[in-house]
Every structure is written in structure tokens, then in C-alpha cells.
Amino acid sequence: MQQIPVSLWTLTAGILVTIISIWVGQNHGLLPIQASQQAPLVDGFFNIMVSIATALFLVVEGTILIFSVKYRRRRGDDTDGVYVEGNFPLEVFWTAIPSIIVLCLGIYSVDVFNRMGGLEPGSHPHIAHSHAPAHIAPMPGSAIAATLSDSSLHESEIAALAQTPEIGIGATPKEQGKPADLVVNVTGMQFAWLFDYPESGVNAGELHVPVGADVQLNLSATDVIHSFWVPQFRLKQDAIPGIPTELRFVATRPGTYPVVCTELCGGYHGSMRTQVVVHTPEEFESWLSENQIAQQQDLKQAVAVQPAELSPSEFLNPYTQQMGVSSATLESLVMNH
Ligand SMILES: [Cu+2]
């Protein structure tokens, strides 16, 4: 019987390894669902790395397995193994292949980063030239610094400068120069995230955004470095005290996703979590107006229960109702104290 040539075996093995690796790269199921425009870009890159890793694993482990069977010590064979000094062409080969792979991955990753908007953070000419940013609250530190260093700047320009982060994920090449549909100021603190909607005056402990909108988060931190991460968006950005950062994204799928702090920021770092709710545009509008009304009502109530203008029994009334005693009783207790 004629023997099958080794080169044919190698070719078959190569084709098999390639097919399996590509399949594993597309079907590994390691990542959560994609919920932002940037997510498919990141996943495309990750999947290629998984394919390469699978191919390397199969080639290395497969070779070890085949060799340990084929070249095992036979019964009665007590001779030394073959002495191999080295193989120059082989060494060049296995140095060149990883170098090319790493170089290509490097170039590809920069391309992905660029398409995500990572190369152009803070390029918002529309904000820099706006002269009516009444709704933009300047960050105190940077505004003061700008005033001291250059008094010829207009206040609005200082506000815009303070508001323009130079670090983070900015507009994608397609959105370059366009203002974001929605701006949210995000503050990280030990141990919570605060979301402030400057255009509508709403404050929230959760991030709410409409699906399909170009959202710009302006991140800051009050105490230590925090990191804003939404796994389903495949996006992460540090919030740094004194240095404004930015994260711009488009959510593509309605739903509720976790917001995780991924910078060890103190004793309760692990509990520094909230969520981002991606609404349909109509749902978002009603959430926004509901909160505007609710937060305005809070304000009126706060004025109404101004303690200085109330008699002690008026002031204590809501508490006595809960305690089941008369206002007079409680008032006398308080007065005797
Ligand atoms: Cu944190």
C-alpha cells in the first residue's frame, strides 16, 4: 500500500485547524449582548484574537499530543535521543510569524479605536464657539485656573473650555464636528454615580438614554479615580478628579444594562454599581418630563416646609401622625427638652 505524503497530512491539518479556529472565533459565546454602535467593532477585534489563540492552541497542543505518541520510548530501547543543536530557518520562521500577527493586531486595534471615536476626544467646535452656554455649569477648578491664566477670555469661552474634555472616547469619524443629541454630566464619587442632565435640570442615580441617540457623557470625579464601564456597550472610561473626560456612544438596543465602577476606589468599590436604561425615544421623553415635574415638586415642598415659618406643632405634625401621638404631646416633649 502506498503511503500518504506528510505534506498532504500537514495541508489537511492546516485546513482543519483554520476552519475550527474561525468557527470558535465566531461562536465562543464569551461576551454579553451588544447594545451600542461601538460594540460590534470591539467584538470583531476580540473574535479575531480568539481565532488566532484557538489556532495556536490547536497547533501547539496537537503537536505535543502527536509527538508524545509517535515518538514515545519503545520497549527495550535504551539509546539516547537525537541531539538537536538548533535550526536557524525554523527560528526565523517562528519569530517572524508572531511578529507579523502582533503588528497586524496593533494596526487593526488602532483602526477600531479610531472608528469608535477614540482618536478625537474633545473636538467640539460647536461648543467652543457657542456664546450662550447658560445651561452648562463650568467645572470650578478649571474655570478658576483659566480665569487666572488668561483674563481676556470670555466667561462663556471659559465655561466651554472647562467643559471640553480632551481624554476619552469622542465623536466617531462620521459624527465629527456635530453636537451630541444628549449631554449628561456624570460624577463619580465614593461610592456612587450621579447623572445630571444640564439641558433639562434633571438629576438621577441611574443613566437614562434614548436608543439611537448620540449621547455624550462628561465624566468627573469628586474624590478618587473611578471608571465608568458598561459591558454591553463594550465601553469604559475613567472619571478622574480635576481632569474632565468624555465618553460618547450610541445605544442600539433598548434594555437595562449594568454600570460598573472598574477602578478599585475604596472599601465599597464593589458596591459602586448602578444601571443604564436604554429607552425608546418616546419612553425617554416621558421619563424626562416625569422627573422634571417630580423634581420641581420636591423644590416646592422644600419651600413649603421651611421650618422657620412653621409653628412647632405644624412642623411636627407629619411625624406625630406616623408615631400615633398628638402634636401637643410631642410639642411639650420637645419644648421641655
Ligand atoms: Cu469607584
Side-chain angles (χ1 to χ4, degrees):
M1 205 180 97
Q2 197 112 57
Q3 256 213 306
I4 301 169
V6 173
S7 56
L8 202 61
W9 277 119
T10 316
L11 183 70
T12 314
I15 291 169
L16 264 177
V17 165
T18 308
I19 290 171
I20 294 171
S21 303
I22 290 171
W23 186 87
V24 172
Q26 300 300 315
N27 297 281
H28 52 74
L30 292 170
L31 297 171
I33 54 164
Q34 303 174 336
S36 82
Q37 226 166 48
Q38 281 94 342
L41 300 172
V42 176
D43 290 8
F45 183 58
F46 184 79
N47 292 350
I48 283 190
M49 288 201 294
V50 170
S51 286
I52 293 170
T54 307
L56 281 173
F57 176 82
L58 290 176
V59 168
V60 172
E61 297 302 316
T63 309
I64 290 174
L65 267 178
I66 291 167
F67 277 41
S68 60
V69 173
K70 192 172 178 197
Y71 301 109
R72 70 187 185 279
R73 194 186 75 90
R74 310 288 162 146
R75 196 182 293 271
D77 177 7
D78 288 327
T79 58
D80 285 342
V82 184
Y83 177 68
V84 180
E85 168 76 35
N87 188 324
F88 187 68
L90 194 61
E91 279 162 25
V92 169
F93 178 77
W94 74 41
T95 308
I97 296 291
S99 305
I100 292 167
I101 290 175
V102 169
L103 210 70
C104 290
L105 284 179
I107 293 166
Y108 182 21
S109 72
V110 171
D111 177 57
V112 167
F113 195 56
N114 176 38
R115 281 189 283 158
M116 287 170 72
L119 297 185
E120 295 289 341
S123 61
H124 309 295
H126 56 282
I127 290 180
H129 297 134
S130 154
H131 283 271
H135 57 276
I136 296 175
M139 279 171 205
S142 15
I144 290 163
T147 313
L148 289 176
S149 62
D150 188 353
S151 53
S152 67
L153 279 175
H154 288 292
E155 227 171 273
S156 59
E157 282 170 337
I158 294 166
L161 276 178
Q163 200 61 25
T164 305
E166 284 172 11
I167 302 171
I169 303 286
T172 59
K174 267 190 247 165
E175 307 286 334
Q176 217 47 247
K178 280 191 225 161
D181 300 328
L182 174 69
V183 176
V184 185
N185 294 327
V186 182
T187 310
M189 63 186 69
Q190 287 168 321
F191 297 92
W193 293 106
L194 271 188
F195 302 96
D196 159 43
Y197 294 71
E199 276 154 51
S200 47
V202 167
N203 287 292
E206 290 177 345
L207 177 60
H208 290 253
V209 297
V211 70
D214 188 8
V215 180
Q216 182 185 334
L217 305 183
N218 292 326
L219 293 123
S220 60
T222 56
D223 34 41
V224 297
I225 301 176
H226 301 276
S227 188
F228 180 94
W229 180 41
V230 180
Q232 284 76 3
F233 288 177
R234 311 287 192 275
L235 288 172
K236 186 193 283 188
Q237 180 57 52
D238 278 5
I240 310 166
I243 302 173
T245 56
E246 173 186 10
L247 183 57
R248 200 160 153 167
F249 65 91
V250 176
T252 52
R253 196 188 150 107
T256 302
Y257 312 107
V259 172
V260 184
C261 176
T262 57
E263 189 72 58
L264 181 58
C265 60
Y268 294 92
H269 157 70
S271 66
M272 190 168 163
R273 281 165 170 265
T274 180
Q275 51 193 19
V276 47
V277 184
V278 179
H279 296 283
T280 61
E282 303 79 50
E283 271 176 11
F284 178 73
E285 282 311 316
S286 63
W287 175 83
L288 204 62
S289 49
E290 268 170 35
N291 274 271
Q292 268 174 310
I293 294 163
Q295 291 183 11
Q296 276 164 13
Q297 277 177 350
D298 278 356
L299 213 65
K300 277 178 203 148
Q301 275 166 10
V303 172
V305 295
Q306 176 61 255
E309 291 165 11
L310 296 175
S311 76
S313 61
E314 270 177 328
F315 176 70
L316 293 169
N317 193 36
Y319 306 100
T320 55
Q321 275 174 359
Q322 283 173 10
M323 291 164 77
V325 293
S326 78
S327 294
T329 312
L330 198 63
E331 193 183 329
S332 67
L333 283 173
V334 172
M335 288 303 160
N336 291 337
H337 186 66

